[in-house]
Protein backbone atom coordinates (compact mmCIF):
# COMPACT_ATOMS: atom_id res chain seq x y z
CA UNK A 1 0.00 0.00 0.00
CA UNK A 2 2.95 2.30 0.71
CA UNK A 3 4.17 2.07 -2.90
CA UNK A 4 0.64 2.49 -4.23
CA UNK A 5 0.46 5.78 -2.30
CA UNK A 6 3.86 6.88 -3.65
CA UNK A 7 2.56 6.36 -7.20
CA UNK A 8 -0.75 8.07 -6.31
CA UNK A 9 -2.81 5.10 -7.39
CA UNK A 10 -6.48 5.90 -6.69
CA UNK A 11 -7.80 4.23 -3.52
CA UNK A 12 -10.44 2.38 -5.52
CA UNK A 13 -7.69 0.64 -7.54
CA UNK A 14 -5.16 -0.09 -4.78
CA UNK A 15 -6.63 -3.41 -3.61
CA UNK A 16 -6.99 -4.73 -7.15
CA UNK A 17 -3.43 -3.72 -8.11
CA UNK A 18 -1.98 -5.27 -4.95
CA UNK A 19 -3.85 -8.52 -5.65
CA UNK A 20 -2.59 -8.52 -9.28
CA UNK A 21 1.07 -7.96 -8.46
CA UNK A 22 1.12 -10.38 -5.54
CA UNK A 23 -0.37 -13.04 -7.79
CA UNK A 24 2.11 -12.22 -10.56
CA UNK A 25 5.10 -12.60 -8.21
CA UNK A 26 3.54 -15.65 -6.52
CA UNK A 27 3.32 -14.11 -3.06
CA UNK A 28 -0.45 -13.93 -2.62
CA UNK A 29 -0.40 -16.84 -0.13
CA UNK A 30 2.25 -15.11 1.99
CA UNK A 31 0.70 -11.63 1.98
CA UNK A 32 -0.07 -11.62 5.74
CA UNK A 33 3.42 -12.71 6.82
CA UNK A 34 5.97 -10.10 7.91
CA UNK A 35 8.52 -9.48 5.15
CA UNK A 36 11.37 -10.17 7.59
CA UNK A 37 10.23 -13.83 7.61
CA UNK A 38 10.53 -14.09 3.80
CA UNK A 39 13.39 -15.90 2.08
CA UNK A 40 15.84 -13.90 -0.07
CA UNK A 41 13.94 -14.99 -3.18
CA UNK A 42 10.62 -13.89 -1.72
CA UNK A 43 12.15 -10.54 -0.78
CA UNK A 44 13.39 -10.08 -4.36
CA UNK A 45 9.86 -10.79 -5.59
CA UNK A 46 8.46 -8.22 -3.12
CA UNK A 47 10.79 -5.70 -4.76
CA UNK A 48 9.41 -6.69 -8.15
CA UNK A 49 5.85 -6.28 -6.86
CA UNK A 50 6.72 -2.80 -5.55
CA UNK A 51 8.18 -1.83 -8.92
CA UNK A 52 5.12 -3.18 -10.75
CA UNK A 53 2.39 -1.61 -8.60
CA UNK A 54 1.99 1.34 -11.00
CA UNK A 55 1.91 -0.93 -14.10
CA UNK A 56 4.97 0.57 -15.83
CA UNK A 57 5.74 -0.07 -19.51
CA UNK A 58 9.47 -0.24 -18.69
CA UNK A 59 10.97 -2.14 -15.79
CA UNK A 60 14.67 -1.70 -14.96
CA UNK A 61 16.13 -4.57 -12.94
CA UNK A 62 19.65 -4.53 -11.53
CA UNK A 63 20.96 -8.00 -10.72
CA UNK A 64 17.45 -9.34 -9.88
CA UNK A 65 18.66 -12.92 -9.41
CA UNK A 66 21.79 -12.10 -7.42
CA UNK A 67 22.18 -14.32 -4.38
CA UNK A 68 19.16 -16.48 -5.17
CA UNK A 69 19.07 -20.25 -5.12
CA UNK A 70 18.10 -22.10 -8.34
CA UNK A 71 14.38 -22.09 -7.50
CA UNK A 72 14.44 -18.39 -6.67
CA UNK A 73 16.24 -17.62 -9.95
CA UNK A 74 13.71 -19.70 -11.87
CA UNK A 75 10.77 -17.88 -10.26
CA UNK A 76 12.25 -14.47 -11.13
CA UNK A 77 12.90 -15.67 -14.71
CA UNK A 78 9.29 -16.84 -14.99
CA UNK A 79 8.03 -13.46 -13.78
CA UNK A 80 10.21 -11.66 -16.34
CA UNK A 81 8.89 -13.95 -19.09
CA UNK A 82 5.29 -13.20 -18.06
CA UNK A 83 6.05 -9.47 -18.12
CA UNK A 84 7.57 -9.76 -21.60
CA UNK A 85 4.48 -11.66 -22.78
CA UNK A 86 2.27 -8.77 -21.64
CA UNK A 87 4.30 -6.32 -23.73
CA UNK A 88 6.49 -4.89 -20.97
CA UNK A 89 10.05 -3.90 -21.72
CA UNK A 90 12.41 -5.34 -19.13
CA UNK A 91 15.90 -3.85 -18.90
CA UNK A 92 17.97 -6.48 -17.13
CA UNK A 93 21.43 -5.52 -15.89
CA UNK A 94 23.62 -8.37 -14.73
CA UNK A 95 27.16 -9.71 -14.57
CA UNK A 96 25.72 -13.23 -14.66
CA UNK A 97 25.94 -13.70 -18.42
CA UNK A 98 24.48 -17.21 -18.33
CA UNK A 99 21.42 -15.67 -16.70
CA UNK A 100 21.33 -12.89 -19.32
CA UNK A 101 21.56 -15.48 -22.09
CA UNK A 102 18.62 -17.38 -20.58
CA UNK A 103 16.36 -14.38 -19.93
CA UNK A 104 17.09 -11.72 -22.54
CA UNK A 105 16.26 -11.36 -26.22
CA UNK A 106 18.68 -8.52 -26.91
CA UNK A 107 21.89 -7.55 -25.19
CA UNK A 108 24.25 -4.61 -25.01
CA UNK A 109 27.79 -5.31 -23.90
CA UNK A 110 29.30 -2.46 -21.93
CA UNK A 111 32.95 -2.48 -20.95
CA UNK A 112 34.77 0.29 -19.10
CA UNK A 113 31.88 2.65 -19.83
CA UNK A 114 31.83 1.99 -23.58
CA UNK A 115 29.23 0.21 -25.66
CA UNK A 116 31.15 -2.62 -27.30
CA UNK A 117 28.35 -4.65 -28.92
CA UNK A 118 24.60 -4.68 -29.24
CA UNK A 119 22.18 -7.11 -30.81
CA UNK A 120 20.07 -10.18 -30.33
CA UNK A 121 21.60 -12.74 -27.97
CA UNK A 122 21.23 -15.40 -30.67
CA UNK A 123 23.12 -13.22 -33.19
CA UNK A 124 26.07 -12.65 -30.85
CA UNK A 125 26.22 -16.31 -29.89
CA UNK A 126 26.14 -17.29 -33.57
CA UNK A 127 28.64 -14.62 -34.64
CA UNK A 128 31.23 -15.67 -32.06
CA UNK A 129 30.31 -19.38 -32.10
CA UNK A 130 30.21 -19.61 -28.32
CA UNK A 131 28.07 -18.82 -25.31
CA UNK A 132 27.41 -15.23 -24.27
CA UNK A 133 30.12 -15.19 -21.60
CA UNK A 134 32.77 -16.26 -24.10
CA UNK A 135 31.37 -13.77 -26.66
CA UNK A 136 31.71 -11.01 -24.05
CA UNK A 137 35.36 -11.93 -23.47
CA UNK A 138 36.04 -11.85 -27.22
CA UNK A 139 34.21 -8.53 -27.68
CA UNK A 140 36.20 -6.80 -24.92
CA UNK A 141 39.46 -8.31 -26.14
CA UNK A 142 40.20 -10.34 -23.05
CA UNK A 143 43.15 -12.64 -23.55
CA UNK A 144 43.68 -15.25 -20.85
CA UNK A 145 47.39 -15.30 -21.57
CA UNK A 146 47.31 -17.99 -24.19
Amino acid sequence: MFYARIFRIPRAEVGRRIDEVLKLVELDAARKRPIKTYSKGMQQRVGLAQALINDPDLLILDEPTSGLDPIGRMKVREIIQRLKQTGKTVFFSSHELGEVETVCDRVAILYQGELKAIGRVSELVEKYQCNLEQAFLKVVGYNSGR
Side-chain angles (χ1 to χ4, degrees), residues 127-146:
K127 178 179 179 179
Y128 293 99
Q129 295 292 300
C130 56
N131 66 28
L132 189 58
E133 185 169 317
Q134 292 299 313
F136 172 88
L137 294 172
K138 288 179 182 182
V139 166
V140 302
Y142 179 79
N143 184 349
S144 63
R146 292 183 209 163

Side-chain angles (χ1 to χ4, degrees), residues 24-26 45 48 52 74-84:
L24 175 70
V25 300
E26 300 178 10
R45 289 183 280 142
L48 282 172
L52 292 167
M74 184 60 70
K75 286 186 178 287
V76 170
R77 276 190 224 125
E78 289 169 353
I79 292 164
I80 292 169
Q81 290 300 329
R82 286 195 294 269
L83 292 169
K84 285 169 41 178

